[in-house]
Amino acid sequence: MAKFNVTNPSGFPEFGPAAEQKRQAWLHIISRSFQSFGFIPITTPVVEREENLLGKGGNAKEMYVLKRLLDEEGDPSHSGNALRFDQTVPLALYVARHQNEITFPFKRSVIGPVFRGERAQKGRFRQFDQCDIDVIGMEKLSLLNDAQIPAIIINIFKALNIGAFKVRINNRKILTGLFKSLNIAETQMKATLDIVDDLEKLPREKILATFTEQGFNQAQVDKILEFVSVESRDFEILKTLCDHEEYLEGVSELQTVIEALEAMNVDQDSYIIDTSIARGLDYYTGTVYETSLTDHPEFGSVCSGGRYDDLASIFTGKAMPGVGISIGLTRLFSQCLEAGLISPDRSSPTEVLLIAADEVALPSLLSLGSNLREAGIVAENYLETKKLAKQFDYADKLGIPYVIVMGEQELSKKVVQLKDMKTGQSETMDIQAVASNLTQRA
Amino acid sequence: MAKFNVTNPSGFPEFGPAAEQKRQAWLHIISRSFQSFGFIPITTPVVEREENLLGKGGNAKEMYVLKRLLDEEGDPSHSGNALRFDQTVPLALYVARHQNEITFPFKRSVIGPVFRGERAQKGRFRQFDQCDIDVIGMEKLSLLNDAQIPAIIINIFKALNIGAFKVRINNRKILTGLFKSLNIAETQMKATLDIVDDLEKLPREKILATFTEQGFNQAQVDKILEFVSVESRDFEILKTLCDHEEYLEGVSELQTVIEALEAMNVDQDSYIIDTSIARGLDYYTGTVYETSLTDHPEFGSVCSGGRYDDLASIFTGKAMPGVGISIGLTRLFSQCLEAGLISPDRSSPTEVLLIAADEVALPSLLSLGSNLREAGIVAENYLETKKLAKQFDYADKLGIPYVIVMGEQELSKKVVQLKDMKTGQSETMDIQAVASNLTQRA
């Protein structure tokens, strides 16, 4: 014992029985929602060439390379590979490999692990499941796709049932157009977007100081702050705030997206226009999304994404616009567990435990177990030779709702005792009647 | 384009739309079967400490360690970790960590990736999903668990529907007892088991030569070959072949397992006693399993496992016997794809594609799409501005079975055209009737 340190390596998720069953229920909800809109699941490799990952934004400080502990052969196929850090670069590579077989627009979904060698920190994972959907067009892609994305996300968050949430929607052209109209230089655009992105997180003085650092004059700062304070679905007002072409294009695109959401009858309390969100990432060029839990702003954005003009031209040589969104499943699930938003109820999928009061009843119970499973009931035979109290204890500890007991007496009469573990009540019933009785109770 | 090599790194699975949907159906079958017997899913970390993996049989030549491409900080939590190469060592570590919370017998299931840095070779994966179930007892574990394992496997292989298969069952005590009775030394046991394991794969002369190499006399060789030729459920005959205590214990255990399988009404054509199988791995001590596809012996054993006395005493200091089995999902799935045993039928989950003949019908189609999804139908709106023929082409290429078309005329009458893509027949129907009509067709 003393020889081995069996504690968990930092940052790699482990989920025990109760949590894992909830996590699988989440996975089911997410993949079912993705598919219900016609998104096509694919598996992309977890490993890609280092240079391909670095070429699309990989951070060498966080990227994990794979090396064998003992590498005697010097097999070149073992060198130069690294673990993916997101689901987007593998999508770009997948599209580059298969562009001639793919039917565009390509609506792909993916759920799987990504790896980031971040600093060890509570709540930070070095491996986590990322659930992504993207629609990729060949050269063009209708703006209506930008409306479908939040519709799906709203579906999912309603089904997850972790409290009120809001999908915040914006269009980056609104911000970039506004900045251009204020003569904010192209080179300052990125910094300005980053400040706007931080508006909610930082105190006002700090924002003003940062703007001053960037050399903005008071008129520019006032206009930006006035603008981002607008939070409205009234596009007629938005259109009066600035007359820059790019700005007006952004407003018009946003209006199309919102109108499509309305046409899809999406619950209007679940989304909102928020002209302050910009998303830090360089590659978003139009619609952007963030999602927050109303009662847990400290979680940050739990689901983000947007529209981009160029998925993979460095790999494909072709313009492929896309729009997508990503749920950081492992982080969100862990946050919800910790905040008590998920209450794992039982530690076993078993619906009924079959217990032998005398060993002679075991073969009949084995047969009954098979029959119940065939009837779609999760039935588990207790197989150890233990006292009855110990067997009930097992059902109790795992939260199994029903127990069937059979001893010599019951065997001779072809009956069982069926006990409801919640009420504590038992009833005797014919062995042939058990399956239909349990099915009715479920 | 010339700059980047976008081909797949060797050994890491990638599945496109059609295959991936089948793969997910497999995953669903497997996890549902595991759970139907009360097996509890858990997530164990994909990364563990190198010394823990090496301490339980890890092969340094195949073990992948994780290093960051650029490691400036020298954060010690980034060193000394490696990717798991199976699901058993992570289970042992999980049990060591949580032995005080676990309710024994612990029936755990796990489905997830493992990593092995093997030589690049067709059909060899360096990362693959392994689906495992194990029952772990605290100090003791009933032999009946050894019968439950093949019952589950038979369930799964029937549901996978990839042709006839056989689960071969044996008990290693039969072989080790026999060898002891023939005065085959303890030190030769392993080598002898390996030869027996190879019996089917090698020609008889080669086997004889190997036996001679090992220094066996003719009487010993004859007895071994006579014995392994027996393939029978007649335990009374088996009991007469050798009177060694360990041999007889093995026969008796095997008989108990087979009788329990009969009590569970498990299809007797799906399993067979095969006294020649031994499984190479050192740690099996009793029941052993192999599974082969009748028409594809070249696949080898597609699902193997057995009983072991000691899961994790090096980590826990306690005797914990277990019995388990493993499906190498990625390999089996790829073999089946290649052999044509799986025929992916369509490239999209979409059941009905909604097409606008005129743009003015789009909002109504968006609304109809939402209604259909709410009725449980996988409904996809085609959102691009394309000619009707191109839109139908999309449905065709993805194998979508139904298409709904709405133009200006249909919009004004509140009807749609519903086209069955297989028969080519269209019918006009009230927009309100579409959901129930499609539900009936499914």
Side-chain angles (χ1 to χ4, degrees):
Chain A
M1 269 301 279
K3 256 181 70 191
F4 291 94
N5 171 3
V6 301
T7 56
N8 293 69
S10 180
F12 294 88
E14 176 183 274
F15 294 110
E20 178 63 10
Q21 281 173 91
K22 280 281 175 188
R23 196 183 72 87
Q24 297 207 354
W26 276 40
L27 283 171
H28 185 67
I29 287 169
I30 294 168
S31 70
R32 203 185 43 193
S33 289
F34 285 172
Q35 294 202 26
S36 74
F37 282 78
F39 279 79
I40 301 168
I42 61 170
T43 285
T44 51
V46 297
V47 161
E48 294 284 1
R49 285 167 218 285
E50 283 167 23
E51 64 269 24
N52 290 343
L53 294 172
L54 290 168
K56 282 289 285 183
N59 175 350
K61 286 184 196 169
E62 292 186 353
M63 222 160 80
Y64 279 125
V65 292
L66 278 186
K67 298 240 181 276
R68 289 189 298 173
L69 192 55
L70 196 66
D71 193 353
E72 288 166 337
E73 311 150 23
D75 181 343
S77 76
H78 279 288
S79 317
N81 293 327
L83 288 160
R84 65 184 177 199
F85 58 88
D86 73 0
Q87 301 282 20
T88 308
V89 186
L91 170 62
L93 288 161
Y94 182 86
V95 170
R97 281 168 199 145
H98 302 284
Q99 50 184 309
N100 297 326
E101 311 141 32
I102 291 173
T103 306
F104 291 93
F106 181 41
K107 299 169 76 174
R108 93 81 178 75
S109 70
V110 75
I111 296 178
V114 304
F115 296 78
R116 291 186 196 168
E118 301 203 49
R119 237 186 297 184
Q121 203 178 328
K122 196 175 138 28
R124 283 274 160 185
F125 289 100
R126 290 172 172 176
Q127 172 232 327
F128 49 96
D129 281 326
Q130 197 123 349
C131 313
D132 280 31
I133 40 172
D134 288 83
V135 193
I136 308 299
M138 180 55 88
E139 281 158 13
K140 279 170 66 176
L141 184 70
S142 160
L143 196 56
L144 295 177
N145 291 288
D146 301 40
Q148 207 164 56
I149 299 287
I152 298 164
I153 292 308
I154 288 166
N155 246 1
I156 289 171
F157 276 85
K158 279 183 183 279
L160 293 182
N161 194 25
I162 47 175
F165 65 93
K166 262 309 183 234
V167 179
R168 288 163 197 282
I169 309 178
N170 194 18
N171 190 302
R172 275 185 70 160
K173 289 180 191 164
I174 297 177
L175 288 170
T176 51
L178 178 77
F179 296 164
K180 283 179 185 167
S181 78
L182 295 172
N183 294 315
I184 295 172
E186 191 78 40
T187 49
Q188 281 184 301
M189 202 75 83
K190 171 87 174 66
T192 313
L193 282 173
D194 287 345
I195 302 172
V196 170
D197 230 15
D198 281 342
L199 272 183
E200 274 190 19
K201 294 168 213 152
L202 297 177
R204 197 178 171 87
E205 315 84 68
K206 178 94 182 108
I207 298 286
L208 291 176
T210 317
F211 272 130
T212 311
E213 258 170 51
Q214 292 288 325
F216 291 162
N217 62 41
Q218 197 58 42
Q220 290 171 319
V221 175
D222 285 348
K223 187 76 184 168
I224 293 171
L225 290 182
E226 179 209 56
F227 170 79
V228 297
S229 68
V230 173
E231 199 173 297
S232 155
R233 285 186 191 187
D234 192 332
F235 290 99
E236 298 320 309
I237 290 178
L238 273 179
K239 281 172 191 164
T240 63
L241 292 181
C242 170
D243 60 3
H244 193 277
E245 189 187 358
E246 188 167 321
Y247 173 90
L248 291 172
E249 192 180 309
V251 172
S252 157
E253 286 186 8
L254 186 56
Q255 186 168 10
T256 302
V257 170
I258 298 297
E259 282 170 3
L261 276 165
E262 285 164 5
M264 294 170 84
N265 320 316
V266 174
D267 171 26
Q268 302 204 7
D269 289 336
S270 298
Y271 63 93
I272 194 165
I273 295 168
D274 182 346
T275 48
S276 76
I277 67 161
R279 302 300 307 149
L281 281 167
D282 280 327
Y283 62 85
Y284 291 123
T285 50
T287 312
V288 284
Y289 319 100
E290 285 188 358
T291 311
S292 53
L293 300 191
T294 312
D295 300 327
H296 293 277
E298 76 278 12
F299 285 11
S301 177
V302 295
C303 177
S304 313
R307 154 79 66 152
Y308 41 91
D309 284 340
D310 177 23
L311 172 73
S313 64
I314 64 161
F315 299 135
T316 63
K318 283 182 191 147
M320 295 187 192
V323 57
I325 203 160
S326 179
I327 303 175
L329 179 74
T330 308
R331 186 170 162 80
L332 174 60
F333 181 75
S334 298
Q335 285 173 317
C336 287
L337 267 184
E338 206 158 301
L341 300 183
I342 306 170
S343 37
D345 29 28
R346 46 189 175 117
S347 303
S348 163
T350 300
E351 290 160 353
V352 60
L353 185 72
L354 285 72
I355 284 181
D358 305 295
E359 217 172 313
V360 68
L362 252 173
S364 292
L365 284 170
L366 287 174
S367 170
L368 178 58
S370 295
N371 293 344
L372 295 179
R373 281 187 293 272
E374 243 163 67
I377 296 158
V378 180
E380 175 178 355
N381 285 95
Y382 192 90
L383 300 172
E384 309 307 306
T385 315
K386 295 255 180 180
K387 290 203 178 118
L388 219 52
K390 284 270 179 199
Q391 301 195 44
F392 272 105
D393 200 37
Y394 176 87
D396 218 37
K397 278 187 178 154
L398 294 183
I400 298 171
Y402 295 100
V403 168
I404 283 170
V405 186
M406 196 192 234
E408 216 176 329
Q409 279 205 333
E410 287 86 1
L411 179 64
S412 68
K413 294 180 194 160
K414 298 195 169 157
V415 296
V416 298
Q417 305 282 345
L418 175 64
K419 182 172 179 178
D420 182 329
M421 294 294 281
K422 218 181 275 172
T423 65
Q425 288 190 318
S426 271
E427 53 182 303
T428 305
M429 69 179 66
D430 196 280
I431 200 167
Q432 302 293 341
V434 181
S436 66
N437 186 299
L438 279 171
T439 307
Q440 276 161 26
R441 287 168 193 247
Chain B
M1 270 303 279
K3 254 181 71 189
F4 291 95
N5 171 4
V6 301
T7 55
N8 292 67
S10 179
F12 294 88
E14 176 183 271
F15 296 109
E20 178 65 7
Q21 281 173 94
K22 280 282 175 187
R23 198 183 71 88
Q24 296 206 354
W26 277 39
L27 283 171
H28 185 67
I29 287 168
I30 294 169
S31 71
R32 203 184 43 192
S33 288
F34 285 172
Q35 293 202 27
S36 74
F37 282 78
F39 279 79
I40 301 167
I42 61 171
T43 285
T44 51
V46 297
V47 160
E48 295 284 1
R49 286 167 217 286
E50 283 167 22
E51 64 268 24
N52 291 342
L53 295 171
L54 290 169
K56 282 288 285 182
N59 175 349
K61 287 185 195 167
E62 292 186 353
M63 221 160 82
Y64 278 125
V65 293
L66 278 187
K67 298 239 181 274
R68 289 188 298 173
L69 192 55
L70 196 66
D71 193 353
E72 288 166 337
E73 312 151 22
D75 181 342
S77 75
H78 279 289
S79 318
N81 293 327
L83 288 160
R84 65 183 178 201
F85 58 87
D86 73 359
Q87 300 283 20
T88 308
V89 185
L91 170 62
L93 288 162
Y94 182 86
V95 171
R97 281 168 198 144
H98 301 285
Q99 51 184 308
N100 297 325
E101 311 141 32
I102 291 172
T103 306
F104 289 93
F106 181 40
K107 299 169 76 174
R108 93 81 179 76
S109 70
V110 75
I111 296 177
V114 304
F115 297 77
R116 293 187 195 166
E118 300 203 48
R119 239 187 295 187
Q121 201 179 328
K122 196 174 138 32
R124 283 274 159 183
F125 289 100
R126 290 173 172 174
Q127 173 233 325
F128 50 96
D129 282 325
Q130 197 124 350
C131 314
D132 280 32
I133 40 172
D134 289 84
V135 193
I136 308 299
M138 181 55 89
E139 281 158 13
K140 279 170 67 177
L141 184 70
S142 160
L143 197 56
L144 295 177
N145 289 288
D146 300 38
Q148 206 163 57
I149 299 288
I152 298 164
I153 292 309
I154 288 166
N155 246 0
I156 290 171
F157 277 84
K158 280 182 182 280
L160 293 182
N161 195 24
I162 47 175
F165 65 92
K166 254 330 173 221
V167 179
R168 287 163 197 283
I169 309 178
N170 193 17
N171 191 302
R172 275 185 71 160
K173 287 178 192 167
I174 297 177
L175 288 170
T176 50
L178 179 76
F179 296 164
K180 282 179 187 168
S181 79
L182 295 171
N183 293 315
I184 295 173
E186 191 76 41
T187 49
Q188 280 182 300
M189 202 76 83
K190 174 85 174 63
T192 312
L193 283 173
D194 286 346
I195 303 173
V196 171
D197 232 14
D198 281 344
L199 272 182
E200 275 190 18
K201 294 168 213 152
L202 297 177
R204 198 177 170 88
E205 315 83 70
K206 178 93 181 110
I207 299 286
L208 291 176
T210 318
F211 272 128
T212 311
E213 257 169 52
Q214 291 289 324
F216 291 163
N217 62 41
Q218 197 58 43
Q220 290 171 321
V221 174
D222 285 349
K223 186 78 184 169
I224 293 171
L225 291 181
E226 180 208 55
F227 171 78
V228 296
S229 69
V230 174
E231 199 173 297
S232 154
R233 284 187 193 187
D234 193 333
F235 290 100
E236 298 320 309
I237 291 178
L238 273 179
K239 280 172 192 164
T240 63
L241 293 180
C242 169
D243 61 1
H244 193 278
E245 190 187 359
E246 189 168 319
Y247 173 89
L248 290 172
E249 193 179 307
V251 173
S252 156
E253 286 187 7
L254 186 57
Q255 185 168 10
T256 303
V257 169
I258 299 297
E259 283 170 2
L261 277 164
E262 285 164 5
M264 294 169 84
N265 320 317
V266 174
D267 171 26
Q268 301 204 7
D269 288 336
S270 299
Y271 62 93
I272 194 165
I273 295 168
D274 183 345
T275 47
S276 76
I277 67 160
R279 301 300 307 148
L281 280 167
D282 280 327
Y283 62 86
Y284 292 124
T285 50
T287 312
V288 284
Y289 319 101
E290 285 189 358
T291 311
S292 52
L293 300 190
T294 312
D295 300 328
H296 293 277
E298 76 278 11
F299 286 10
S301 177
V302 295
C303 178
S304 313
R307 155 78 66 150
Y308 41 91
D309 283 339
D310 177 22
L311 171 73
S313 64
I314 65 161
F315 299 136
T316 64
K318 281 181 193 148
M320 295 188 193
V323 59
I325 204 160
S326 180
I327 304 175
L329 179 74
T330 309
R331 185 170 163 79
L332 174 61
F333 182 75
S334 299
Q335 285 173 318
C336 287
L337 268 184
E338 205 156 304
L341 301 184
I342 307 171
S343 37
D345 29 28
R346 45 190 177 120
S347 303
S348 163
T350 299
E351 289 161 353
V352 60
L353 185 73
L354 285 72
I355 285 181
D358 304 296
E359 218 173 313
V360 67
L362 251 174
S364 292
L365 284 170
L366 288 175
S367 171
L368 178 58
S370 295
N371 293 344
L372 294 179
R373 281 188 293 272
E374 244 165 66
I377 297 158
V378 180
E380 175 178 354
N381 286 95
Y382 192 90
L383 300 172
E384 310 308 305
T385 315
K386 296 255 179 179
K387 290 199 179 122
L388 219 51
K390 283 269 179 202
Q391 300 196 44
F392 272 105
D393 201 36
Y394 176 87
D396 219 36
K397 279 188 177 152
L398 294 183
I400 298 171
Y402 295 99
V403 168
I404 283 170
V405 186
M406 197 192 233
E408 217 175 330
Q409 278 205 333
E410 287 86 1
L411 180 64
S412 68
K413 294 181 191 158
K414 298 197 170 156
V415 297
V416 299
Q417 307 282 345
L418 176 63
K419 181 171 180 180
D420 182 329
M421 295 293 282
K422 218 181 276 173
T423 65
Q425 290 191 315
S426 271
E427 54 181 302
T428 305
M429 71 180 65
D430 195 281
I431 200 167
Q432 302 293 341
V434 181
S436 66
N437 187 298
L438 279 171
T439 307
Q440 276 161 25
R441 287 169 193 248

